[in-house]
Amino acid sequence: MENEYILEMRNITKTFPGVKALDDVSIKVRPGTVHSLMGENGAGKSTLMKCLFGIYALNSGEIILEGRNVNFENPAEALKNHVSMVHQELNQVLDRDVMENVWLGRFPMKNGFIDKKKMFVETKKIFDELEIDVDPRVKIGSLQVSQKQMIEIAKAVSYDSKIIVMDEPTSSLTENEVSHLFKIIEKLKARNTSVIYISHKMEEILKISDEVTVMRDGKWIATKPASELTTDAIIKMMVGRELKERYPRRTTMPGDTLLQIKNLASVGQIFHDVDFELHKGEILGISGLVGSKRTEVLETLFGIRQKGEGTISLHGKEINNDSPRQAMKHGFAMLTEERRVDGIFADLSVGFNMIITNLNLYMQKGLLNNGKIKGSVSKMIDTIKVKTPSDNTKIGNLSGGNQQKVILGRWLLTQPEILLLDEPTRGIDVGAKFEIYQLMNELAAEGKGIIVVSSEMPELLGICDRILVMSNGRQSGIFDAKSVSQVQIMEASAKYI
């Protein structure tokens, strides 16, 4: 008789120094189905999958794949056994072309040389099947995050995978791209490939899953057919309590003008004609489709990109942020979208990651004052509720949401007036999101100005005072968040396309 389950993970336990990341967790996955994993950041979802994929060694438990016991020592072994994983934090060789990234470590060879023609044909074949419209010969570093994500999914498919783990695959995708991904998943199911899907997006989970497993604090809580679940039921299992509101209420109103932007354009006119004011205590959202140049506006304000035309005025006085250092002197702080690439030092401690932008504050006679560092870091960990065994823990060992909080804490220690936040809750669970929203409200109540880029429309409507919409490098509207509809924002997003 054929096995009912393609994969069983039984009684899995995994500990790290000071943390029991997985405590006797079991899941069973059927062939040709989508089995979703849900839970708050730190629940153990990604850790469980890294144990399957050979990144982490188990402390105890067993893994049964197609009826046989396996224990992969590394990802290469997992891939040989047709188990692949699309990681939340992309890890690609940015200065190599797309097809080389797909076939890295297993290039097709001919007469002792890499067979580029065959590599191109094979890559194109997979891209055509998955309807991915990317030239395999372009450098992967030139692509948008959403396209890079699709390349990783194509790479997973190229291993003729029987199981594909997708960790937050839609965190940087637009609605159209999410629909495309779901089509790909349907094709995989038709091939009898199983997908283990990790996401915090409830609507997605209920739409595409056959079964859902909920985890909390490293433990298995429940596995149920998706058809029997509701958003409220999942949240209750995830957080162990009912979460009445997704967005905390604002108690203060915006005040005087803090920042004035007139006719702003970047060098090379990547975007142009951006005009807005940011008030003290205001949360201003920036919406738009991928490619609308939302991030580029933030990068220009922070001096990562050079300003071409226009003016930036702070407290009525014109300033020039020619570099991030200059921007920081003017009281700007920026949380970037890709925390793993340009946000954290994964092998260094939580404490070091928090003070890295502000080292001068902690210098005394040419040496770092460790007592002062410890005091600032401990206070910030408590203030923003970072779940970590200690400030000496490597930040790479924390969950994605807690890494995000540490980076936010890093910028708060610089005591900024203006916070630029690019996808601040990307890949973060509903409980941690609520905490970050509360923190944003508290900062606004202190009179700070906050500009937030987000791909999640309900988030912008739930936390912002006003929403500026970008379309194809141009500002296409600015709306009051309390009265605008999602339809109006979508229309403005498509205005110049």
Side-chain angles (χ1 to χ4, degrees):
M1 184 186 127
E2 204 176 324
N3 284 331
E4 187 183 353
Y5 300 103
I6 188 168
L7 173 72
E8 292 183 61
M9 298 184 77
R10 297 177 184 166
N11 313 109
I12 305 295
T13 298
K14 176 64 187 169
T15 55
F16 296 106
V19 189
K20 198 168 199 178
L22 296 171
D23 186 0
D24 198 34
V25 177
S26 299
I27 66 160
K28 297 175 178 180
V29 179
R30 300 172 200 274
T33 62
V34 175
H35 191 117
S36 289
L37 287 182
M38 295 211 75
E40 292 191 272
N41 288 102
K45 311 174 299 290
S46 297
T47 304
L48 184 66
M49 291 300 99
K50 285 174 180 175
C51 287
L52 167 66
F53 197 54
I55 293 170
Y56 296 149
L58 308 180
N59 291 106
S60 63
E62 57 180 348
I63 300 171
I64 294 142
L65 179 67
E66 295 187 296
R68 62 196 168 86
N69 270 66
V70 296
N71 192 359
F72 304 132
E73 290 193 7
N74 52 52
E77 208 176 301
L79 290 164
K80 274 182 197 159
N81 284 273
H82 309 291
V83 175
S84 59
M85 185 166 176
V86 179
H87 298 273
Q88 181 183 352
E89 309 292 355
L90 302 177
N91 192 11
Q92 295 164 322
V93 186
L94 299 181
D95 61 349
R96 309 304 300 177
D97 59 37
V98 166
M99 61 188 185
E100 284 178 287
N101 273 273
V102 171
W103 300 99
L104 207 59
R106 52 191 179 127
F107 295 134
M109 304 299 285
K110 188 176 180 182
N111 303 326
F113 293 97
I114 295 171
D115 188 344
K116 288 221 163 195
K117 190 177 176 187
K118 187 179 181 189
M119 189 157 59
F120 175 80
V121 169
E122 293 293 327
T123 308
K124 193 81 176 69
K125 190 172 146 195
I126 295 165
F127 284 10
D128 288 348
E129 186 191 347
L130 302 180
E131 296 172 39
I132 293 172
D133 186 19
V134 172
D135 184 342
R137 294 163 297 202
V138 301
K139 278 209 170 91
I140 203 161
S142 67
L143 302 180
Q144 292 170 342
V145 177
S146 55
Q147 292 172 307
K148 292 176 188 170
Q149 192 89 17
M150 285 298 183
I151 305 304
E152 282 299 289
I153 290 163
K155 182 176 179 176
V157 170
S158 76
Y159 281 94
D160 195 20
S161 302
K162 291 171 182 172
I163 295 172
I164 298 180
V165 178
M166 296 186 183
D167 193 353
E168 294 289 348
T170 63
S171 57
S172 47
L173 303 186
T174 61
E175 272 182 51
N176 285 345
E177 288 161 338
V178 170
S179 300
H180 182 192
L181 174 65
F182 290 173
K183 267 206 257 178
I184 289 173
I185 287 173
E186 284 304 317
K187 287 182 181 181
L188 293 171
K189 282 175 71 173
R191 286 178 170 197
N192 215 29
T193 299
S194 302
V195 174
I196 301 176
Y197 192 92
I198 300 174
S199 177
H200 293 113
K201 297 180 180 175
M202 309 281 172
E203 294 77 10
E204 280 181 15
I205 290 286
L206 293 172
K207 188 173 181 180
I208 64 157
S209 305
D210 296 292
E211 290 183 290
V212 178
T213 290
V214 177
M215 295 174 69
R216 186 169 73 238
D217 298 328
K219 295 183 174 74
W220 175 89
I221 299 297
T223 299
K224 297 196 172 182
S227 56
E228 293 177 13
L229 290 169
T230 62
T231 298
D232 288 344
I234 292 172
I235 290 174
K236 197 172 176 182
M237 285 190 283
M238 274 172 61
V239 299
R241 64 188 189 281
E242 284 189 57
L243 201 63
K244 296 273 189 249
E245 294 174 327
R246 291 230 198 155
Y247 307 102
R249 288 193 183 143
R250 296 288 297 281
T251 54
T252 57
M253 296 292 288
D256 298 337
T257 300
L258 176 61
L259 186 72
Q260 192 167 38
I261 308 298
K262 283 195 170 172
N263 304 322
L264 188 67
S266 65
V267 164
Q269 297 273 308
I270 291 168
F271 69 84
H272 51 93
D273 299 322
V274 171
D275 279 276
F276 66 89
E277 287 183 350
L278 176 70
H279 300 93
K280 287 182 179 178
E282 181 178 26
I283 301 177
L284 174 71
I286 302 186
S287 181
L289 304 172
V290 168
S292 63
K293 309 305 178 193
R294 302 166 304 173
T295 295
E296 287 78 357
V297 172
L298 292 197
E299 287 176 345
T300 304
L301 292 176
F302 195 60
I304 295 170
R305 287 177 184 272
Q306 290 303 298
K307 174 168 72 73
E309 293 168 15
T311 58
I312 301 171
S313 299
L314 182 65
H315 298 299
K317 185 182 167 192
E318 192 176 330
I319 59 166
N320 274 315
N321 288 344
D322 295 327
S323 67
R325 190 179 293 274
Q326 192 82 32
M328 285 164 66
K329 277 184 183 163
H330 288 133
F332 286 69
M334 181 167 171
L335 189 77
T336 57
E337 179 185 3
E338 294 247 42
R339 63 176 171 257
R340 177 67 70 178
V341 174
D342 49 26
I344 66 166
F345 299 89
D347 289 333
L348 297 174
S349 70
V350 167
F352 181 83
N353 272 276
M354 262 198 196
I355 59 136
I356 185 64
T357 52
N358 229 4
L359 282 175
N360 290 345
L361 268 182
Y362 303 99
M363 296 299 280
Q364 216 167 24
K365 294 177 182 172
L367 296 171
L368 284 171
N369 182 331
N370 288 323
K372 195 176 177 186
I373 289 172
K374 203 156 185 64
S376 292
V377 169
S378 298
K379 193 175 172 189
M380 188 56 72
I381 284 172
D382 290 344
T383 302
I384 59 180
K385 301 186 178 78
V386 179
K387 282 184 192 167
T388 177
S390 83
D391 57 355
N392 290 320
T393 302
K394 280 185 184 178
I395 193 173
N397 288 346
L398 301 189
S399 66
N402 284 301
Q403 289 177 8
Q404 191 77 317
K405 285 188 191 175
V406 171
I407 303 169
L408 197 50
R410 171 198 298 169
W411 287 113
L412 295 183
L413 284 173
T414 68
Q415 299 184 317
E417 265 197 293
I418 295 164
L419 272 160
L420 310 173
L421 309 177
D422 196 355
E423 302 285 4
T425 64
R426 178 182 158 205
I428 290 178
D429 67 74
V430 67
K433 275 183 178 180
F434 192 84
E435 288 175 356
I436 285 180
Y437 300 148
Q438 272 182 320
L439 194 57
M440 287 165 70
N441 280 358
E442 285 163 21
L443 294 167
E446 289 171 17
K448 296 185 192 302
I450 300 171
I451 303 177
V452 56
V453 165
S454 174
S455 299
E456 292 187 38
M457 193 96 69
E459 177 170 88
L460 291 175
L461 293 168
I463 63 170
C464 296
D465 297 294
R466 291 181 303 147
I467 299 169
L468 183 155
V469 183
M470 294 291 292
S471 175
N472 206 20
R474 291 160 76 183
Q475 181 175 328
S476 59
I478 192 158
F479 304 92
D480 185 312
K482 302 291 171 280
S483 55
V484 71
S485 69
Q486 291 200 28
V487 172
Q488 284 171 293
I489 291 176
M490 284 310 292
E491 283 171 351
S493 298
K495 188 172 177 181
Y496 296 120
I497 291 173

